Amino acid sequence: MDHEALRGWSKRAADWIADYHAGLRDRPVRARALPGETAALLPGSPPDAPEPVEAIFADFERIVPDAMTHWQHPRFFAYFPANAAPASMLAEQLVNGMAAQAMLWQTAPAATEIETVMVGWLRQALGLPDRFTGTIHDSATTATLSAVLTMREAALGWAGLTAGLSGLPRLRLYASAETHSSIDKAARIAGIGQDNLVKVPTDATLSMKPGALAGAIAADRDAGHLPAGVILCAGGTSVGAFDRIGDCIAVAKSAGLPVHVDAAWAGSAMICPEFRWLWSGVEGADSIVFNPHKWLGAQFDCAVQFLADPGPQVRTLGLRPAYLETAGREEITNFNEWTVPLGRRFRALKLWFLIRAYGLDGLRGRIRNHVAWAGELRDALAALPGVEIVTEPALSLFSFRLAAGDRPTEDLLSRINDDGRIYLTQTRHAGRYAIRVQVGPFDCTRDDVMAVAEVVADLMRRD
Ligand SMILES: *Cc1c(COP(=O)(O)O)cnc(C)c1O
């Protein structure tokens, strides 16, 4: 296959993609594949001779789509969304076509500069002060790891990078139990250790208790430990918990600790001013992560980290060996120095296309609809006999269960997902099994959302 053949096949792929999206409502949302089924359809060894693209494409159509869970399905209400708005998919096709590596300014000047401008656009869209700059990572996990490594090194006066961590006091991090497992992972791989991630108690609203945070920091200092930083939760993954960001930041600041805010999912909603009270005080954070690749519509992957001062993170993560010097332009922004991997994709182009093609008003309208429809759906489910709401909507996320208990609820969920008209996933809350509903597919309609109540009622009737 050469580039002239690619021209034709790209057109064929574009048609395939358009037909795929047009037909999504007719497909079961969650894959019906069984483990091992797809692998068994592939030869065990690679071909020695080239094969015609026609055959490869035909096998793709035969094997792949039916064995996929359809994340762009308008009735995908599981996990959190990974929305790919059409305009962002178009940008990704162009990025794929150029196939550049954006590690340094000079390896992709437009990628670096559009990234800087897009981070600025999003900063304004979210209502953050203009001292925040930032970068685009692959995932919130990488952003949080970068923030935690920076906390560690700032606490150690940048000694750990070269001398390692042995013989030092125990470093301590603080977060509530509602924070995502990516914080536990960061504590593990930063060499701090999961046991040194203190899970600060929450109150009845699932917010970290500021007084308990202050107490935990003071007790650790008394014990000779070295507090390094606080990670706050703005929209937890399980049921959408929010810490009281401003109050907790005040505690962290008075203890001299940096703060990273994980708003991976809920950050997108902050383009709507009426939701910003949920993270009020966030402007005091040192680092904030949110994933435009979740709710906003920028195709995966796209995780934006805002930094009040990039200096400490660049000092922690930046290395400049001779082969990466950029003759005479050493002051320029080289985004690899802001993150863990050296190689980087050109992720900003899809934000540029997305924000322009829908406008902030178009994106806000979708999020407002999702939040409103989640409220209507919550009421429709609550009205079904035998259904209980477990957690009330946090933006567009809530959870429910059957009054009959965990087993019947679990059984209902597996029947919902085998049925295929909608897709939901589970969590545990206050010791009980609950079914999560998040309303977030980019182009879902009110009918798509209300179908959840119809499917649940239908399956309960058949019981
Ligand atoms: C999804 C999510 C993450 C992890 O995001 P990745 O980009 O997949 O690493 C972290 N925190 C929260 C609150 C999330 O919802």
Side-chain angles (χ1 to χ4, degrees):
M1 186 172 186
D2 59 16
H3 282 98
E4 205 39 47
L6 176 62
R7 179 194 299 277
W9 282 104
S10 295
K11 290 178 179 160
R12 171 98 176 255
D15 285 339
W16 185 90
I17 291 166
D19 292 342
Y20 168 78
H21 283 272
L24 273 177
R25 277 197 183 79
D26 300 326
R27 292 178 177 273
V29 192
R30 192 192 63 183
R32 294 214 164 119
L34 298 173
E37 218 172 44
T38 305
L41 296 173
L42 270 56
S45 310
D48 284 314
E51 295 187 49
V53 180
E54 191 68 57
I56 303 169
F57 202 95
D59 283 344
F60 162 75
E61 290 189 282
R62 179 172 63 87
I63 295 172
V64 177
D66 287 345
M68 292 297 285
T69 293
H70 303 290
W71 281 75
Q72 305 313 316
H73 198 297
R75 296 184 175 186
F76 181 102
F77 306 115
Y79 306 101
F80 279 137
N83 285 340
S88 101
M89 296 180 83
L90 175 63
E92 280 289 72
Q93 288 175 23
L94 300 173
V95 166
N96 285 340
M98 291 183 286
Q101 220 273 40
M103 59 187 181
L104 303 171
W105 175 86
Q106 76 175 13
T107 65
T112 301
E113 295 189 15
I114 295 175
E115 181 163 337
T116 302
V117 176
M118 287 307 108
V119 170
W121 281 16
L122 287 172
R123 175 190 64 69
Q124 295 169 58
L126 268 56
L128 295 171
D130 60 12
R131 66 175 171 281
F132 282 95
T133 54
T135 189
I136 308 177
H137 301 271
D138 57 348
S139 63
T141 300
T142 303
T144 294
L145 174 61
S146 302
V148 165
L149 288 166
T150 304
M151 288 173 173
R152 183 192 83 186
E153 285 308 309
L156 296 175
W158 280 273
L161 291 173
T162 45
L165 303 181
S166 70
L168 295 171
R170 284 169 78 150
L171 289 153
R172 303 284 270 180
L173 297 171
Y174 308 86
S176 89
E178 293 295 321
T179 47
H180 187 265
S181 59
S182 56
I183 287 96
D184 300 71
K185 188 182 271 192
R188 286 177 170 215
I189 58 187
I192 293 171
Q194 200 172 358
D195 290 348
N196 292 311
L197 170 58
V198 180
K199 294 285 170 84
V200 180
T202 50
D203 63 18
T205 67
L206 305 179
S207 309
M208 181 192 280
K209 291 180 178 164
L213 173 62
I217 296 168
D220 279 346
R221 286 204 163 124
D222 287 347
H225 301 333
L226 187 56
V230 178
I231 295 108
L232 299 177
C233 177
T237 311
S238 177
V239 296
F242 279 83
D243 290 327
R244 286 197 299 278
I245 304 292
D247 293 346
C248 293
I249 288 179
V251 170
K253 293 288 133 173
S254 69
L257 296 183
V259 174
H260 171 68
V261 175
D262 180 2
W265 161 66
S268 293
M270 303 310 169
I271 63 171
C272 304
E274 70 271 30
F275 300 133
R276 290 184 193 150
W277 65 272
L278 283 164
W279 73 351
S280 75
V282 72
E283 60 280 354
D286 298 279
S287 166
I288 304 162
V289 64
F290 101 100
N291 284 354
H293 76 224
K294 280 185 171 163
W295 202 358
L296 201 65
Q299 172 155 14
F300 187 84
D301 51 359
C302 188
V304 171
Q305 184 190 15
F306 295 107
L307 290 160
D309 172 11
Q313 189 158 310
V314 172
R315 186 167 173 193
T316 303
L317 301 175
L319 274 180
R320 216 175 264 194
Y323 47 80
L324 292 178
E325 282 170 9
T326 49
R329 295 189 184 277
E330 305 315 323
E331 79 299 340
I332 213 135
T333 298
N334 291 314
F335 275 126
N336 80 80
E337 297 172 1
W338 299 46
T339 187
V340 178
L342 173 62
R344 316 177 67 249
R345 301 179 64 246
F346 180 1
R347 300 192 181 91
L349 196 72
K350 57 195 167 196
L351 284 169
W352 196 38
F353 276 47
L354 175 81
I355 297 169
R356 294 179 64 191
Y358 306 94
L360 289 177
D361 282 341
L363 301 174
R364 288 184 192 112
R366 284 174 172 82
I367 284 174
R368 287 179 176 137
N369 280 339
H370 296 167
V371 172
W373 296 336
E376 287 185 56
L377 176 61
R378 175 252 175 246
D379 292 346
L381 285 168
L384 297 177
V387 171
E388 290 176 347
I389 300 303
V390 177
T391 55
E392 293 295 336
L395 296 168
S396 65
L397 171 68
F398 67 94
S399 63
F400 70 97
R401 72 196 298 268
L402 295 182
D406 282 3
R407 269 326 269 277
T409 307
E410 208 172 330
D411 181 58
L412 173 68
L413 181 63
S414 64
R415 286 188 294 132
I416 288 170
N417 293 332
D418 289 344
D419 172 88
R421 283 175 284 174
I422 60 171
Y423 183 23
L424 305 176
T425 47
Q426 75 293 326
T427 190
R428 288 201 80 83
H429 181 70
R432 298 187 307 177
Y433 185 95
I435 301 177
R436 288 169 82 258
V437 184
Q438 67 76 21
V439 177
F442 194 73
D443 277 325
C444 68
T445 63
R446 184 179 172 280
D447 284 351
D448 288 320
V449 175
M450 299 314 284
V452 172
E454 286 159 31
V455 170
V456 170
D458 188 27
L459 295 175
M460 286 174 72
R461 234 186 340 264
R462 277 193 234 165
D463 212 9

